[in-house]
Amino acid sequence: MDDSIQRDITIDAPVGRVWAAITEPQHVGVWFGTGQPAKMDFRPGGGIVFSHGEAGETLATIERIEPQRLFSYRWALVGARDVPPGDGNATLVEFTLEPDGDATRLTVTETGFTKLTAVGVEARAKQYGDNVGGWAQKVVELADYIATMRP
Amino acid sequence: MTEPARSSNSTAAPADLYQVLTGLADPTRRQILDALATAGSGTATTIAATVPVSRQAVVKHLAILDRAGLVRGQRAGREMRYLLCPARLTDTAHWIAALADDWDRRLRAIKDIAESL
């Protein structure tokens, strides 16, 4: 069962620049963080600290590095603030880069939600969109469907 | 730019979410929920007529769904009659969708960065 969230985007830049944006601390700190460079020990098994500012930190461990092709890490999920990723509290985030002419297709997949046993994970109500992907999409479809059955 | 917390508006306790996700991870259990949504309610016997597993298997699946808070059983004569409890399912769908929205936002930020390098 594919318990994943998958999203992608086309970026008008070659893979080298996209790779820099997702792996270099000064850029990571902008797309996830306070704007300060993220703390990263850039090697498989190395750590990443994603800052939420005063709200704490999300800790990650780098899984795979295949330059300009694949970058993945495990991070401790929602509610596991300041706790290192481990069994039962972490999901796997995988970025894949594919050249598309002069552009790059960047896909992110987050998997492992059914393995979360140990953390304070909280649901939040919010409007939701399409194409959540795989297993996760089924949940959304089922919830939508059931909502239509309600009087 | 500050990344908003990865969670807000608590509506499900930790153990609950694991149970809901486990409950939903099985295609037969999703079919059972679907059958309950269609019929309004059902017993293991009536549900077994609509899914490709035995009544005994349906009983086990219903117990898992009950623990997850996705269905609620009421005694009806010699059988339990089950009703759907959609709130947990809806919360979980919203939670998943919110995580997906977070990634969309981050991917747009990555795009902005890469395109300006």
Side-chain angles (χ1 to χ4, degrees), chain B:
Chain B
M1 177 167 68
T2 300
E3 171 76 7
R6 291 187 74 201
S7 63
S8 59
N9 301 338
S10 172
T11 51
D16 292 341
L17 185 79
Y18 170 66
Q19 286 176 339
V20 170
L21 294 177
T22 304
L24 294 169
D26 184 275
T28 302
R29 288 197 287 275
R30 291 201 298 269
Q31 282 185 319
I32 290 171
L33 292 173
D34 202 351
L36 286 176
T38 307
S41 70
T43 63
T45 306
T46 65
I47 294 166
T50 68
V51 296
V53 296
S54 69
R55 183 188 171 282
Q56 263 190 320
V58 170
V59 169
K60 286 181 187 166
H61 284 307
L62 284 168
I64 292 168
L65 291 169
D66 194 359
R67 279 201 295 278
L70 291 165
V71 301
R72 190 175 69 245
Q74 296 172 338
R75 184 150 290 284
R78 285 186 301 172
E79 276 209 291
M80 292 290 279
R81 176 161 289 276
Y82 286 89
L83 299 162
L84 201 62
C85 305
R88 285 268 170 87
L89 185 63
T90 310
D91 286 347
T92 305
H94 286 172
W95 176 76
I96 288 166
L99 292 182
D101 286 348
D102 286 346
W103 276 119
D104 281 339
R105 191 167 38 72
R106 291 181 202 125
L107 289 178
R108 284 195 299 274
I110 290 168
K111 178 179 166 78
D112 289 345
I113 293 165
E115 290 180 355
S116 63
L117 286 177

Side-chain angles (χ1 to χ4, degrees), chain A residues 80-93:
Chain A
R81 215 54 68 71
D82 307 325
V83 174
D87 287 344
N89 80 340
T91 52
L92 177 69
V93 174

Side-chain angles (χ1 to χ4, degrees), chain A:
Chain A
M1 181 55 57
D2 176 23
D3 64 331
S4 68
I5 291 173
Q6 183 170 312
R7 312 299 283 172
D8 58 54
I9 197 166
T10 298
I11 299 175
D12 294 323
V15 286
R17 284 187 213 159
V18 176
W19 181 256
I22 61 171
T23 59
E24 291 181 6
Q26 73 273 26
H27 301 312
V28 174
V30 173
W31 63 260
F32 194 122
T34 56
Q36 296 299 309
K39 286 177 235 165
M40 296 178 77
D41 177 12
F42 195 67
R43 59 181 176 84
I48 310 175
V49 179
F50 293 99
S51 174
H52 301 278
E54 290 180 3
E57 295 170 334
T58 294
L59 304 182
T61 303
I62 295 174
E63 194 82 7
R64 287 167 69 190
I65 300 172
E66 295 177 24
Q68 308 206 3
R69 213 190 70 74
L70 187 149
F71 175 53
S72 66
Y73 57 80
R74 287 185 188 282
W75 66 1
L77 200 79
V78 190
R81 215 54 68 71
D82 307 325
V83 174
D87 287 344
N89 80 340
T91 52
L92 177 69
V93 174
E94 190 168 83
F95 290 99
T96 54
L97 295 73
E98 287 173 85
D100 180 8
D102 294 333
T104 301
R105 192 80 182 154
L106 175 64
T107 303
V108 63
T109 309
E110 185 167 1
T111 54
F113 294 103
T114 51
K115 295 185 181 65
L116 296 169
T117 56
V119 227
V121 181
E122 300 163 340
R124 60 183 183 180
K126 187 170 168 179
Q127 285 302 311
Y128 49 87
D130 302 321
N131 307 320
V132 177
W135 169 90
Q137 178 60 30
K138 288 277 177 261
V139 176
V140 175
E141 283 170 7
L142 194 58
D144 278 351
Y145 172 66
I146 287 167
T148 67
M149 309 301 293
R150 304 278 285 169

